[in-house]
Structure formats: C-alpha cells, structure tokens
Amino acid sequence: MNEGERIREFHRRNLTWPPRWVPNTSGWIRLMHRREEQLRELQHAQHKWDGFVTLVQGGVLVSNFTHQGFEVAQTPAHVHAKLRSALELGMARGMEAESGWAEALSDVQPMFVIDAKMNREVLMDLLPMHEAWAGVRLEPVIAYGLRVYINGCKHLACTV
C-alpha cells in the first residue's frame, strides 16, 4: 500500500491522530508530542515507520506502571559509583559510536561505553529495585550499557 492509499484508508476508518495517549496527563502528552516531532524529522522511511510503531506501542498500547508513565528514582550509591567509574574509564580509553536502526537527527552520534561485565553487575544490582517498581518478578536478560550523548547530539531512542 502506498502512502496515498494508506491515508485514504485511515480516513475511511474514521481514525484520528494523535491517539489518546495513556496516561492522558499533560506531561505524558508533551513527551509523546516531542517524540512525534523528532520522528517527523527523520528522512529514512523505514526508520520513521519503526519510530511511529514504537511511539504508539509506548504511548497507547503498553501499560504504564505509574500514573505519570515514568518514575524518577534515586540510583543506589554503589551503582552510581560503578557507573561513574565506568564512564570515566570509557571516556579515557575511547568509546564506540552507536550503531543500529536508531537514526540521529544530527551528524553527531551517541557513543557507548562497552563493558559487558559492568552491564551485568548493574543489571543484577538494580533487579530488586525494578521488581519492586514493576510489582512482578522479572527475568534479568540484558543491559546495553552507558550511552553517552556528546554535545550537539540529538537522539531519538528512548532509554530506560
């Protein structure tokens, strides 16, 4: 289906945009609108499509665990120290540019500090906190590591 057909079908079904964001709070709505603005700037059609699918999943289809849709929590001091140490070491020895589908909105790409051992330790350190927040037992699978935003970087990916 081409874009013209998709738009005609959208109107034929009496669909509207934007959807009703869940939760329907002013902060969440502003965040979803900001993400949509970023998506509209993307040039690559598949990246734009993937981004809008993710936007709707996170903004409508997937349940939030809090009224705001997110929660700010204090990182335990020992985890914060571990992350800060890894960041400083990573910056000293060099970081890797992020790769994958996430398209930056500028020429400046985010960087990653690669440290699989530290990633696993932090994942396990934070597991009890995440389980308490989620209210369910979680299976620890992966922690991607430290994403480092360099000055001038605008990045679309949502990071938790």
Side-chain angles (χ1 to χ4, degrees):
M1 168 182 305
N2 66 37
E3 184 64 3
E5 292 168 333
R6 186 196 67 77
I7 290 171
R8 281 191 295 281
E9 185 63 18
F10 181 87
H11 291 297
R12 187 188 71 73
R13 294 181 183 190
N14 293 315
L15 299 173
T16 60
W17 185 265
R20 184 178 182 278
W21 302 114
V22 179
N24 193 22
T25 62
S26 60
W28 192 248
I29 291 168
R30 276 193 312 275
L31 178 63
M32 295 298 104
H33 287 173
R34 174 66 183 123
R35 289 179 179 167
E36 180 183 351
E37 288 171 9
Q38 289 178 311
L39 288 167
R40 292 192 185 284
E41 291 183 38
L42 296 177
Q43 299 303 308
H44 190 280
Q46 187 63 53
H47 292 176
K48 189 178 284 192
W49 172 259
D50 291 342
F52 271 97
V53 168
T54 300
L55 178 71
V56 171
Q57 286 175 335
V60 178
L61 302 175
V62 177
S63 297
N64 290 295
F65 291 105
T66 67
H67 177 69
Q68 294 93 353
F70 59 90
E71 191 77 23
V72 176
Q74 184 67 44
T75 303
H78 74 282
V79 174
H80 186 268
K82 192 179 294 186
L83 291 168
R84 183 173 185 104
S85 175
L87 175 61
E88 289 170 355
L89 182 62
M91 291 176 74
R93 71 173 182 227
M95 299 173 286
E96 295 185 23
E98 180 173 5
S99 61
W101 81 267
E103 180 179 337
L105 299 176
S106 69
D107 293 334
V108 182
Q109 293 289 323
M111 306 296 280
F112 264 112
V113 174
I114 307 297
D115 186 338
K117 181 178 181 288
M118 186 271 310
N119 293 352
R120 182 70 184 174
E121 288 173 7
V122 169
L123 178 67
M124 299 312 294
D125 287 344
L126 294 178
L127 182 62
M129 190 172 147
H130 293 154
E131 288 180 335
W133 178 75
V136 296
R137 182 172 159 78
L138 300 173
E139 181 179 345
V141 177
I142 191 165
Y144 295 103
L146 291 170
R147 178 180 280 141
V148 181
Y149 295 94
I150 308 300
N151 287 342
C153 179
K154 299 176 188 175
H155 194 64
L156 185 61
C158 302
T159 309
V160 176

